[in-house]
Amino acid sequence: QVHVVESGGGLVQAGGSLRLSCAASGSIFRLYAMNWFRQAPGQQRELVARITSGASTNYADSVKGRFTISRDNAKNTAYLQMNSLKPEDTAVYYCNAVPPGSTLGYWGQGTQVSVSS
């Protein structure tokens, strides 16, 4: 069982920045793939960014050039730096930690990001 906790959400004006953090338990965090998803009201959950154990990254087209995912294996933490935020970025952001051999991984409780125009 992996315990996942997100933090860092809040209310920000359009054009502003936020950094989300995701702490995951386990002695082999360095081997986890870490994903950030988001879900806006009435919409499906969507993948925003992903970082592999080898630090390769992928982004949704809607956030490319504005969001950066990173990880600090010494702190068992992944981050999502969000710049140039837009009102359409408003959503609950979820962290998903995927250990080797796991299909679905483990989810955090989510953190709300609200961007005002």
Side-chain angles (χ1 to χ4, degrees):
Q1 185 74 17
V2 175
H3 189 50
V4 179
V5 179
E6 305 98 335
S7 60
L11 174 64
V12 64
Q13 289 188 332
S17 298
L18 283 174
R19 189 177 81 155
L20 306 183
S21 298
C22 172
S25 64
S27 61
I28 57 169
F29 174 85
R30 70 190 186 282
L31 299 180
Y32 298 175
M34 298 296 294
N35 303 312
W36 283 100
F37 286 76
R38 68 186 179 186
Q39 188 167 19
Q43 298 189 20
Q44 290 188 335
R45 192 171 296 190
E46 63 172 349
L47 179 64
V48 174
R50 182 172 190 265
I51 186 166
T52 68
S53 59
S56 295
T57 59
N58 295 95
Y59 298 92
D61 287 344
S62 58
V63 306
K64 280 181 181 177
R66 300 189 298 121
F67 290 11
T68 302
I69 189 170
S70 62
R71 64 190 300 156
D72 185 339
N73 291 336
K75 296 182 178 180
N76 275 34
T77 300
Y79 303 97
L80 186 68
Q81 178 67 43
M82 306 185 294
N83 298 329
S84 302
L85 282 161
K86 304 175 181 180
E88 51 263 44
D89 295 317
T90 295
V92 178
Y93 283 70
Y94 296 91
C95 181
N96 172 240
V98 187
S102 173
T103 301
L104 299 179
Y106 299 86
W107 294 86
Q109 79 289 350
T111 185
Q112 176 70 47
V113 171
S114 299
V115 184
S116 63
S117 57

